[in-house]
C-alpha cells in the first residue's frame, strides 16, 4: 500500500512539473511604501516640496495621492506648494494585483520670515586694521533660501 502511495505521489509530481515546462509561475508581491522621517516633512510658505517615497514591488502598480479624500495625483511623486502656514496631510495608496499599501504624510508649512542678521562684536563695532585680513561672519536666523550680497563703502 505504501509503495502504491509513493508511486501515485511521484506520478502527480511528475505531472505537475510536465504541465509547467518552460513556464515560470510567479506571484507579484504586494507593494510596500518605505517611509522616511516618520512621514513628516517641512517647507516654507510658497516653497514647493516633492514627496517621492521609495516603493518596493512597484512593478505594474497604480499610484494614487489623496488630500482630504480627493484624488490629486497618480504619479510616483507628488509636489505640494502652499501659501498658508499650517499642517497639510497627503495620503499615498499604491496597489497592484497582489495587494495595496497606504501611508499618510504630514507636511508642515512654516511661516516665511525675513532673515535677521547680527554680528558678534564688541560694543556693536567691527574693527579692522589696514593691511590685515579681517573675517566678518554674520549670524543669520530664518535665512533658509536666502541670497547673500556684500557691499563695501556703498
Amino acid at each position: 500500500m505504501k509503495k502504491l502511495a509513493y508511486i501515485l505521489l511521484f506520478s502527480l509530481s511528475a505531472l505537475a512539473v510536465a504541465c509547467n515546462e518552460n513556464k515560470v509561475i510567479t506571484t507579484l508581491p504586494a507593494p510596500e511604501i518605505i517611509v522616511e522621517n516618520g512621514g513628516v516633512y517641512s517647507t516654507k510658505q510658497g516653497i514647493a516640496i516633492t514627496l517621492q517615497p521609495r516603493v518596493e514591488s512597484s512593478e505594474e502598480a497604480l499610484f494614487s495621492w489623496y488630500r482630504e479624500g480627493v484624488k490629486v495625483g497618480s504619479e510616483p511623486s507628488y509636489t505640494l506648494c502652499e501659501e498658508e502656514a499650517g499642517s497639510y496631510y497627503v495620503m499615498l495608496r499604491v496597489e497592484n494585483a497582489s495587494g495595496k499599501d497606504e501611508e499618510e504624510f504630514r507636511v508642515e508649512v512654516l511661516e516665511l520670515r525675513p532673515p535677521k542678521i547680527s554680528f558678534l562684536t564688541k560694543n556693536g563695532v567691527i574693527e579692522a586694521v589696514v593691511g590685515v585680513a579681517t573675517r566678518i561672519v554674520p549670524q543669520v536666523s530664518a535665512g533658509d533660501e536666502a541670497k547673500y550680497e556684500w557691499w563695501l563703502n556703498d
Side-chain angles (χ1 to χ4, degrees):
M1 189 63 155
K2 280 186 178 182
K3 190 174 187 179
L4 182 60
Y6 285 123
I7 292 173
L8 182 59
L9 182 61
F10 178 75
S11 299
L12 289 174
S13 299
L15 181 61
V17 171
C19 291
N20 193 24
E21 187 175 325
N22 296 329
K23 295 180 184 176
V24 176
I25 297 175
T26 59
T27 302
L28 186 64
E32 180 182 358
I33 302 168
I34 310 300
V35 177
E36 296 176 3
N37 304 323
V40 179
Y41 300 89
S42 65
T43 187
K44 300 270 180 125
Q45 290 172 296
I47 299 174
I49 184 168
T50 299
L51 304 174
Q52 188 171 8
R54 194 177 86 206
V55 178
E56 301 214 347
S57 303
S58 63
E59 303 83 20
E60 301 177 27
L62 298 173
F63 289 77
S64 300
W65 293 91
Y66 295 89
R67 289 187 61 191
E68 298 178 13
V70 176
K71 186 174 179 179
V72 293
S74 58
E75 299 296 323
S77 64
Y78 178 72
T79 301
L80 176 76
C81 185
E82 292 293 335
E83 297 299 325
E84 297 293 322
S87 297
Y88 295 86
Y89 295 87
V90 181
M91 200 264 297
L92 171 62
R93 176 184 295 145
V94 183
E95 53 190 309
N96 64 18
S98 297
K100 69 178 179 178
D101 193 12
E102 294 180 347
E103 286 293 338
E104 184 174 66
F105 299 88
R106 185 177 86 217
V107 178
E108 293 293 333
V109 177
L110 307 173
E111 182 179 345
L112 185 60
R113 300 176 304 162
K116 181 178 178 185
I117 303 168
S118 60
F119 295 93
L120 297 177
T121 62
K122 292 181 184 177
N123 301 324
V125 176
I126 298 175
E127 294 182 6
V129 177
V130 176
V132 177
T134 301
R135 186 167 188 224
I136 302 171
V137 181
Q139 302 295 314
V140 181
S141 63
D144 299 340
E145 307 290 326
K147 296 178 183 171
Y148 298 86
E149 290 185 39
W150 290 85
W151 289 283
L152 178 62
N153 295 331
D154 191 24

